[in-house]
Amino acid sequence: MLRPLVAVSTDAKPVENYVWHATPEPYLEAAVSGAGVIPVLVPSLGEKIDLDSLLAGVDGVLITGSKSNVHPSLYGGDASEENGPYDPARDATTLPLIRKAIEKGVPLLAICRGIQELNVALGGTLATELQEMEGRFDHRAPENASQDERFAIRHAVTIQPSGCFASVFGKDAIHVNSVHRQGVATAAPRLEVEAVAGDGTIEAVSVKDAPAFAVGVQWHPEYWVKSDEDSARIFRAFGDAVRAHAARRREQSVAAG
Ligand SMILES: N[C@@H](CCC(=O)NCCCC(=O)O)C(=O)O
């Protein structure tokens, strides 16, 4: 059986004399080993990428994390030096890609910056510097730490009993890592809150009435996908949704002759 392709977001980053479109390896590794799919990078070229053509050729979309923040102008906020860095090229690619994937029923998994992009793409807003907000935890990774320490499992999240993640995890709470300073402020109308942290931070969402799997998580399941069962469950569920989409696409292709 051929393995399905999954479109993966990229950051547009100046490196030496060029702008590179790249994404960190853990997301790609997790797509291969955790979801059983083949990741294909989508350059952050905005409207130069014909999304109908792209989504006709893949069976899933994975929106990754990034140190950069969604530009505040996209949700009525004000840009500032402190609130950066920004990646407008990525925003111009991922937000339309997210909306089109949901519309076309292409399975979507959005991680960290990805859940924030999902929320903004559907009309929600973001809060920045959560750690400075009354009653909130510090959701950032420790500084001057190894990657394993930065992505260490750090806090519990409560899973909403009636949501799609309840069936993915089969329990009412899991423990997750935390590497972010922003978060969902106002959830978009189409989003169902699926998990929250002890300080009320929204940690996972799903898209109401989406024709296919469409979820976002604020934590990083890709990082421990090989050793943490709950992380593995998310990627397995995404992979299963991708394979179901691929099977539907094959059937439609055969039926169309
Ligand atoms: N920039 C946003 C999203 C955070 C995110 O995606 N973090 C993952 C990568 C980070 C790293 O390796 O430091 C925010 O800060 O909320």
Side-chain angles (χ1 to χ4, degrees):
M1 176 69 74
L2 296 176
R3 288 192 172 214
L5 304 183
V6 164
V8 181
S9 59
T10 57
D11 291 5
K13 296 172 94 74
V15 178
E16 293 169 357
N17 299 332
Y18 300 95
V19 175
W20 291 54
H21 296 244
T23 203
E25 188 173 276
Y27 301 99
L28 306 174
E29 271 288 344
V32 173
S33 60
V37 302
I38 298 177
V40 287
L41 298 189
V42 178
S44 285
L45 294 177
E47 61 187 16
K48 292 176 187 169
I49 300 292
D50 178 80
L51 294 177
D52 290 319
S53 301
L54 172 65
L55 293 172
V58 300
D59 291 299
V61 173
L62 173 60
I63 307 293
T64 73
S66 172
K67 283 184 190 293
S68 70
N69 293 326
V70 179
H71 199 280
S73 61
L74 294 167
Y75 54 89
D78 298 319
S80 66
E81 187 70 25
E82 309 71 52
N83 187 236
Y86 302 120
D87 186 346
R90 169 167 168 153
D91 294 337
T93 307
T94 55
L95 269 57
L97 173 57
I98 287 167
R99 287 190 285 262
K100 184 80 80 169
I102 294 168
E103 173 197 325
K104 287 180 173 288
V106 179
L108 169 72
L109 174 57
I111 295 173
C112 206
R113 191 191 203 268
I115 187 178
Q116 298 167 4
E117 289 162 295
L118 170 58
N119 187 46
V120 172
L122 297 184
T125 61
L126 303 180
T128 193
E129 308 317 327
L130 293 175
Q131 67 282 355
E132 295 173 8
M133 293 169 64
E134 182 67 31
R136 293 295 181 103
F137 303 154
D138 186 345
H139 288 259
R140 296 172 298 178
E143 293 185 1
N144 308 316
S146 69
Q147 276 297 65
D148 283 2
E149 288 161 349
R150 298 182 68 240
F151 284 84
I153 300 298
R154 205 171 298 287
H155 66 77
V157 297
T158 302
I159 306 299
Q160 301 306 307
S162 57
C164 71
F165 277 110
S167 55
V168 169
F169 297 120
K171 48 191 165 183
D172 58 11
I174 66 169
H175 287 78
V176 300
N177 49 23
S178 188
V179 188
H180 63 106
R181 50 194 254 243
Q182 298 201 327
V184 172
T186 309
R190 272 202 79 182
L191 293 183
E192 193 76 52
V193 174
E194 293 275 351
V196 291
D199 65 353
T201 297
I202 292 173
E203 291 278 345
V205 296
S206 61
V207 177
K208 294 174 190 168
D209 306 324
F213 183 96
V215 302
V217 293
Q218 188 62 73
W219 66 90
H220 288 272
E222 82 287 349
Y223 194 83
W224 300 110
V225 70
K226 292 181 180 171
S227 58
D228 173 65
E229 179 55 22
D230 291 325
S231 299
R233 285 171 179 265
I234 292 176
F235 273 89
R236 264 201 304 274
F238 177 53
D240 290 346
V242 167
R243 278 179 286 279
H245 184 271
R248 281 194 303 274
R249 211 151 59 87
R250 278 195 302 275
E251 287 160 12
Q252 289 164 356
S253 173
V254 167

